Amino acid sequence: MSTVERLRDGTMTDAAAGWVVTLSITLLAFLIRLHNLGYPKNLVFDETYYAKDAWTLLHFGYERSWPDKTADASIVAGKTDVYLDTPAFIVHPPLGKWLIAVGEQWFGMNAFGWRFMACVFGSLLVFATIRLARRLSRSTLIGGIAGILLTMDGLAFVMSRTALLDIFQAVFLVAAVACCVADRDYYRHRLAGILERTGRHDFGGGFGPVVWLRPWRLAAGLLFGAALGCKWNSVFVLAVFGVLGVLWDVGARRLAGANWRSWLAILVDGIPAFVRLVVVSVVVYVSTWTGWLLTTGGYDRNWGQEHPDHPWVSAFGERFASLLWYHKEIYEFHTGDYIKNATHPYDAHPAGWLAMLRPTGFDAVNDIKPGTDGCTGPENCIRVISAMGTPVLWWMAAIALVVCIVWWIGGRDWRFGVPVLAALSTYLPWFNYTDRPQFFFYAVIMVPFTVTGLAMVMGLILGPADSPGRRRGAIVVGVAVALVAVNFAWIYPVLTDELLPYSQWLARMWLRSWI
């Protein structure tokens, strides 16, 4: 292959088919998630925080406190104005709650309303994953497989039907990573175009013209900022792909014939990359606090006025000094003695996440007696929502992640490094905080990347379309996908609060640690 042909790697010719596959699977995911979305009608797990925060954001621009013991029952009964006059101390940025508030604005302060946008974004997570996997694999088929697998993941399914923040964060992170990969292709194609227009084979040891226009990298900065506006730990993915993107620029220049001058890309492309990714994401992040900044009732909102002589007030003004002080208090909450001394029955050490050793129970109605709530006996029945992944999918994906590492490093295939780095940047930082309670459902931001890795490994098993082992590979992949589908159908009742005899519920708890 010529230099130009190598730079143009990644050009696909089935755009129409790609969009048909993407939109069809996304619609399927949406319909599956939408069914009976408003059940149960009560606030489950941490919905008791975020759905209520969203409602007061919608009405006041900042989060207000609620009565501790009576608010949830009042809301379910239709009385939604029982919030207090005092601001609430919240420990996560507001964007995810603003998105929840959209559904509440459209459909009211009820279970369907506060879960609707999670359902929409859970479907968009499938959309973004298909586009990422398709671009990485250079295959619409592999992109479609990734989308089907994620559609049938239990954890992604539950998080798409619950008003928590993580599903919004996951969508923004996957879309941001997809934009980073698109930027890699865009940059190389621009270099190829320069060589073609000038009639040159390569840059002959020179650095070559600067590529100023980088729309995909700017889009990534916007999306990373939105992810940060949901949860702070998005910063680790931003850091990893910010560095990786500049290294990709160096590699592109070297391929184009810049030789040692390719390292100048660290400055020539790296400084604009910092602006497009970091500076832009900070601006977006701060903008998510607009409601808090433009009102006066939020927690710590008047700190700057109360401390006019503090150097932060002199440097940033009272509004932004107050915001900075608030962030200091939020950080101290996440790292302080209170959270370190807290305990929770569903605490799950991250070492067990890939193997799904300790799922999170979101809701449970135990010991339903025969003749009650549809229980026909002779044994008692149970209803649960368990935020668990589809076991067969998670265990295959964990193995595939190892294969991706080998193929990336040993096979020198950059594409397999993307799901590895993305998954690990959402996963490894949690090991630094094992002295506080952690929950398996945090891994929902990791599963799109592990599923992408699994789909790419399935692509290796399939092989090229004209290879003699294609039929055998198709059988293996088809059986694997079918096993995931059957497993998802089997655990579906414990994802959706369906009524089960106790023995049937227990049959779905394959590991004792799942109980």
Side-chain angles (χ1 to χ4, degrees):
M1 295 177 65
S2 68
T3 299
V4 169
E5 289 172 335
R6 293 172 67 189
L7 286 169
R8 289 202 179 278
D9 172 55
T11 302
M12 299 181 67
T13 58
D14 63 341
W19 283 113
V20 169
V21 168
T22 301
L23 296 175
S24 299
I25 297 174
T26 300
L27 178 61
L28 173 65
F30 177 71
L31 294 176
I32 291 174
R33 284 150 171 74
L34 185 66
H35 174 68
N36 209 19
L37 181 65
Y39 184 83
K41 66 180 182 179
N42 57 292
L43 293 147
V44 302
F45 200 63
D46 282 354
E47 283 185 340
T48 190
Y49 304 114
Y50 304 127
K52 291 185 290 190
D53 285 344
W55 188 246
T56 53
L57 274 174
L58 186 62
H59 287 81
F60 304 104
Y62 63 91
E63 297 90 342
R64 280 194 178 184
S65 299
W66 296 73
D68 290 337
K69 297 181 179 180
T70 61
D72 288 12
S74 297
I75 290 170
V76 172
K79 190 173 178 58
T80 62
D81 60 351
V82 295
Y83 39 75
L84 305 177
D85 293 333
T86 55
F89 174 67
I90 57 93
V91 296
H92 293 297
L95 181 56
K97 288 166 283 188
W98 277 114
L99 291 169
I100 293 170
V102 172
E104 294 175 345
Q105 172 68 23
W106 289 347
F107 302 106
M109 182 59 166
N110 54 64
F112 187 87
W114 64 64
R115 292 175 189 148
F116 179 75
M117 289 304 292
C119 180
V120 170
F121 270 71
S123 307
L124 290 176
L125 183 63
V126 173
F127 177 96
T129 302
I130 295 171
R131 304 309 293 179
L132 171 62
R134 178 179 180 271
R135 183 174 287 276
L136 278 175
S137 64
R138 314 320 200 189
S139 167
T140 295
L141 173 62
I142 300 306
I145 290 174
I148 288 291
L149 292 175
L150 188 61
T151 296
M152 298 185 295
D153 174 57
L155 180 61
F157 176 82
V158 170
M159 297 301 286
S160 302
R161 293 165 53 85
T162 313
L164 271 62
L165 307 180
D166 307 75
I167 195 69
F168 304 108
Q169 178 193 19
V171 172
F172 291 131
L173 283 178
V174 175
V177 171
C179 285
C180 289
V181 176
D183 176 74
R184 181 190 184 275
D185 288 345
Y186 174 85
Y187 185 71
R188 289 179 170 234
H189 295 172
R190 287 293 300 273
L191 294 181
I194 292 170
L195 291 176
E196 287 177 328
R197 287 193 300 274
T198 57
R200 302 165 64 185
H201 173 70
D202 57 35
F203 289 146
F207 182 78
V210 177
V211 178
W212 292 110
L213 186 64
R214 304 289 289 270
W216 288 111
R217 183 166 280 174
L218 177 61
L222 294 170
L223 290 163
F224 277 126
L228 287 166
C230 296
K231 281 195 169 182
W232 285 356
N233 60 315
S234 305
V235 71
F236 298 111
V237 189
L238 167 60
V240 167
F241 279 87
V243 173
L244 182 63
V246 175
L247 292 178
W248 281 341
D249 291 349
V250 172
R253 291 283 176 178
R254 182 185 296 115
L255 177 58
N259 299 331
W260 67 268
R261 290 183 176 85
S262 61
W263 289 102
L264 294 175
I266 292 177
L267 293 176
V268 176
D269 293 310
I271 293 174
F274 181 85
V275 174
R276 293 185 179 104
L277 291 176
V278 178
V279 175
V280 167
S281 66
V282 169
V283 172
V284 172
Y285 174 78
V286 173
S287 72
T288 66
W289 289 86
T290 299
W292 185 91
L293 288 166
L294 296 183
T295 56
T296 58
Y299 193 92
D300 271 347
R301 176 60 185 83
N302 299 318
W303 179 87
Q305 291 181 355
E306 297 165 359
H307 300 81
D309 297 328
H310 195 282
W312 288 0
V313 177
S314 301
F316 304 109
E318 68 87 7
R319 287 184 183 181
F320 290 103
S322 298
L323 183 61
L324 189 59
W325 181 263
Y326 195 3
H327 278 61
K328 170 184 171 293
E329 293 199 314
I330 295 173
Y331 179 78
E332 289 173 348
F333 169 85
H334 285 297
T335 58
D337 290 338
Y338 172 83
I339 197 71
K340 289 180 180 179
N341 293 325
T343 59
H344 198 283
Y346 288 107
D347 184 13
H349 194 287
W353 289 1
L354 289 173
M356 206 187 67
L357 297 184
R358 185 59 174 158
T360 311
F362 275 12
D363 192 48
V365 181
N366 298 301
D367 297 323
I368 302 172
K369 304 299 182 183
T372 305
D373 192 23
C375 182
T376 58
E379 59 183 319
N380 288 353
C381 298
I382 188 173
R383 292 182 183 272
V384 300
I385 297 177
S386 181
M388 63 184 299
T390 302
V392 170
L393 173 60
W394 276 72
W395 296 337
M396 288 195 301
I399 296 170
L401 194 63
V402 177
V403 176
C404 286
I405 294 172
V406 172
W407 217 260
W408 171 36
I409 298 174
R412 300 178 64 83
D413 191 331
W414 69 273
R415 299 174 301 164
F416 288 85
V418 172
V420 170
L421 291 173
L424 294 183
S425 62
T426 64
Y427 175 53
L428 293 181
W430 286 110
F431 285 86
N432 193 44
Y433 303 100
T434 54
D435 54 353
R436 53 157 289 175
Q438 299 178 346
F439 302 98
F440 172 71
F441 73 84
Y442 296 165
V444 72
I445 65 173
M446 176 175 65
V447 66
F449 302 118
T450 58
V451 162
T452 295
L454 174 59
M456 293 175 68
V457 170
M458 288 181 171
L460 295 178
I461 296 172
L462 280 171
D466 56 352
S467 66
R470 178 76 169 191
R471 177 174 296 181
R472 182 172 61 250
I475 293 172
V476 171
V477 171
V479 169
V481 174
L483 286 174
V484 171
V486 170
N487 195 195
F488 176 68
W490 173 247
I491 66 171
Y492 185 85
V494 301
L495 307 177
T496 55
D497 235 7
E498 286 191 11
L499 184 73
L500 285 174
Y502 183 83
S503 60
Q504 287 295 310
W505 166 75
L506 196 61
R508 289 162 171 80
M509 300 293 104
W510 291 353
L511 301 180
R512 189 171 184 83
S513 61
W514 292 2
I515 299 175

